[in-house]
Amino acid sequence: MRALPRGWHRVRPGTLRGRLALLALFTTAVWVIVLTAVFNVALEGRLRAEADDLLRTRATAAEATVRVHPDRSLTVDEPAHDRALDTGIWIYQGRRALERPPASAGVQRAADRLAGRHDAFEETGGSTPSRLYALPIRDHGRQVGTVITAVGLDPYRHTAQSALAGSVGLALLLLGGVYLMARGVVGRALRPVGAMTRQAAQWGGHDIGRRFGAAPRPAELNALAGNLDELLDRLAAVLRHERQLSAELSHELRTPLARITAEADWLLARPRGPEERTAAIEAIAQGADRMRTICETLLAEARAGSTEAPGRCALGTVVRDIAAREAPEAADRPQAPPIAVRLAGEEPMLVAGVSPAVVERILTPLLDNARRYARDAIALECSAGPPGSVRVTVTDDGPGVPQDAHDAIFEPGYRADPADGHDGAGLGLPLACRLARAAGGELRLEPALRGARFVVMLPAG
């Protein structure tokens, strides 16, 4: 990488407005320099052409006063009021001057050199530069003399220098105006960006539910509003995740912790027999195991380390991934039915406003429950719910949930039939329900013709 010029870091502005204004100034300066150079070069060429035209015109006028005799000698007719023609005009016959105006030595030497030449130009330097032109005098196609005219270049050079100074001054004024205007325009254009940024920071600190939405604004600001809304969504998801985790831990750990405390107090209150002591210790161990299960369930989402941005996920992709991960476990049990995944609607529209890990922690207990009781089929179906929501339905063809247990199954520790031979502490469905509610959705059991039908409603992303 090419190193930056020395001193660049001291010149480079610290604000975006200053950088854009400096970029506009640099771009305009390049064009102004190019245009100024082209203008002055063209002007100098035009002034030179005018000087040459004047020399030719005067030479032609002087040639008209020269008569050529049969012996090819030349005489000059002196018209009245010929003072203008006598200034800066030489008439030569061969190398001999018939007329010679007063001139400096350098101009005279240049005129002598041009004698006998035709259609030639020459310039002299010095303090009074001049330009000379030689026009041949011909007789029957043969050059018999030469008219030489001269003009001082000082007026032309003064005009060129004045034009150069004027164009440079105008260019500097233009660049100053461009810089000031660019700063003003860029500052005015960035003002809504600053206002939106401050508004987003204020909402992020005090009103996390506010969004910019799709209000009429320029396309660039619409893109910025969308990005800020997405950042607010992620911030809301993070806060929701923290509240969800703390609420679940405090609620779910309260019951086993109370039991452990009660059993410990009971043991310390008075001496107990071996059987009573053993029973109390087993109760404490069960409570501790229950707390461990709850902590592992709730902290799994925090340890998941999902690479996707929190707060959004493609529901179809997440559901298929869950079903694929559950398949190897089901393969270890030949009697476990397969999991079918269906998408009711276009997949780009099925976006949930929660992280993939939260969806997995909600659906995993439902799939575990379905695998325990399903006979031949388990189905996962993703679809659009009411406006602003998406839905995941988990169904199985098992015996279903008894009518009198529809409400109790979401209570921590409840099991409809503890002697059914299936492992479980009665915590999966309550935790799934609480996670769904903490994420802004809900989990409910709906009537089904056969088996159980659980519906998870989640906010749309």
Side-chain angles (χ1 to χ4, degrees):
M1 181 179 294
R2 186 172 60 89
L4 293 174
R6 180 177 298 178
W8 166 253
H9 296 289
R10 294 192 296 269
V11 176
R12 183 182 182 185
T15 62
L16 179 60
R17 181 178 70 171
R19 294 179 185 179
L20 292 177
L22 192 61
L23 178 61
L25 177 64
F26 176 77
T27 305
T28 306
V30 172
W31 280 106
V32 167
I33 291 173
V34 172
L35 293 177
T36 301
V38 171
F39 167 75
N40 284 277
V41 169
L43 178 61
E44 184 177 356
R46 181 59 184 169
L47 291 176
R48 183 179 295 275
E50 289 183 359
D52 292 347
D53 290 342
L54 176 61
L55 290 172
R56 288 191 182 96
T57 300
R58 294 182 63 190
T60 302
E63 183 190 18
T65 65
V66 178
R67 286 191 300 164
V68 181
H69 297 283
D71 60 354
R72 292 183 176 173
S73 62
L74 304 178
T75 60
V76 180
D77 295 333
E78 296 290 343
H81 310 293
D82 64 345
R83 182 175 300 178
L85 290 177
D86 290 340
T87 302
I89 295 179
W90 290 259
I91 299 177
Y92 286 84
Q93 182 174 352
R95 305 290 296 182
R96 182 172 63 88
L98 301 179
E99 284 196 3
R100 177 179 297 181
S104 63
V107 175
Q108 183 60 53
R109 286 194 298 271
D112 292 339
R113 286 194 299 270
L114 288 174
R117 299 173 63 183
H118 55 85
D119 292 327
F121 291 92
E122 187 170 337
E123 285 189 10
T124 63
S127 59
T128 56
S130 300
R131 185 169 176 81
L132 294 84
Y133 169 68
L135 177 67
I137 302 173
R138 289 186 172 87
D139 179 46
H140 298 89
R142 182 177 178 182
Q143 182 174 348
V144 295
T146 309
V147 176
I148 298 175
T149 56
V151 63
L153 296 180
D154 281 340
Y156 297 97
R157 293 188 176 181
H158 178 73
T159 300
Q161 292 171 358
S162 299
L164 177 61
S167 60
V168 170
L170 181 61
L172 293 177
L173 291 176
L174 176 62
L175 292 177
V178 166
Y179 180 73
L180 295 177
M181 182 173 293
R183 281 184 64 89
V185 170
V186 172
R188 189 177 184 86
L190 292 178
R191 195 175 302 162
V193 177
M196 293 175 67
T197 303
R198 290 190 296 272
Q199 188 67 66
Q202 181 180 359
W203 289 347
H206 304 287
D207 192 0
I208 197 65
R210 297 285 298 276
R211 298 293 183 272
F212 291 100
R217 58 175 67 92
E220 295 82 0
L221 294 183
N222 272 333
L224 175 63
N227 291 334
L228 291 176
D229 283 346
E230 186 174 350
L231 289 176
L232 290 172
D233 288 338
R234 296 180 182 182
L235 179 59
V238 171
L239 294 177
R240 190 163 59 236
H241 175 269
E242 292 179 354
R243 290 194 297 266
Q244 162 196 318
L245 185 60
S246 60
E248 290 301 323
L249 284 173
S250 62
H251 183 276
E252 298 299 334
L253 294 178
R254 188 180 297 117
T255 300
L257 183 59
R259 183 177 181 185
I260 291 174
T261 303
E263 293 290 344
D265 291 341
W266 184 79
L267 279 176
L268 296 174
R270 59 186 177 85
R272 302 293 176 182
E275 293 183 359
E276 292 178 336
R277 187 181 298 108
T278 300
I281 293 174
E282 288 179 355
I284 293 174
Q286 290 175 359
D289 184 67
R290 182 176 177 184
M291 291 178 66
R292 180 186 59 79
T293 303
I294 293 172
C295 289
E296 288 181 352
T297 302
L298 291 177
L299 294 177
E301 188 271 328
R303 295 195 302 263
S306 174
T307 58
E308 294 191 34
R312 286 173 62 89
C313 69
L315 202 55
T317 302
V318 175
V319 168
R320 281 194 290 263
D321 290 344
I322 295 174
R325 284 196 295 271
E326 296 291 339
E329 298 180 7
D332 296 336
R333 294 177 294 167
Q335 72 278 10
I339 302 174
V341 177
R342 295 193 296 268
L343 301 182
E346 297 183 3
E347 186 165 356
M349 302 299 295
L350 301 177
V351 178
V354 296
S355 67
V358 172
V359 176
E360 180 178 355
R361 298 316 306 167
I362 294 173
L363 294 182
T364 298
L366 301 180
L367 288 175
D368 290 341
N369 190 72
R371 283 203 306 269
R372 289 191 186 102
Y373 300 105
R375 293 190 178 95
D376 300 313
I378 299 174
L380 278 170
E381 181 177 352
C382 303
S383 62
S389 66
V390 290
R391 176 169 46 211
V392 182
T393 305
V394 181
T395 59
D396 65 73
D397 59 351
V401 180
Q403 185 66 32
D404 57 355
H406 278 200
D407 296 330
I409 59 173
F410 295 113
E411 295 296 329
Y414 176 83
R415 294 187 60 187
D417 184 7
D420 58 5
H422 295 290
D423 296 332
L427 297 176
L429 293 180
L431 288 177
C433 183
R434 288 189 171 276
L435 286 172
R437 290 176 180 175
E442 63 174 331
L443 170 61
R444 62 176 181 263
L445 175 65
E446 291 188 350
L449 296 178
R450 183 182 180 187
R453 176 184 174 89
F454 289 93
V455 177
V456 181
M457 302 296 295
L458 296 172

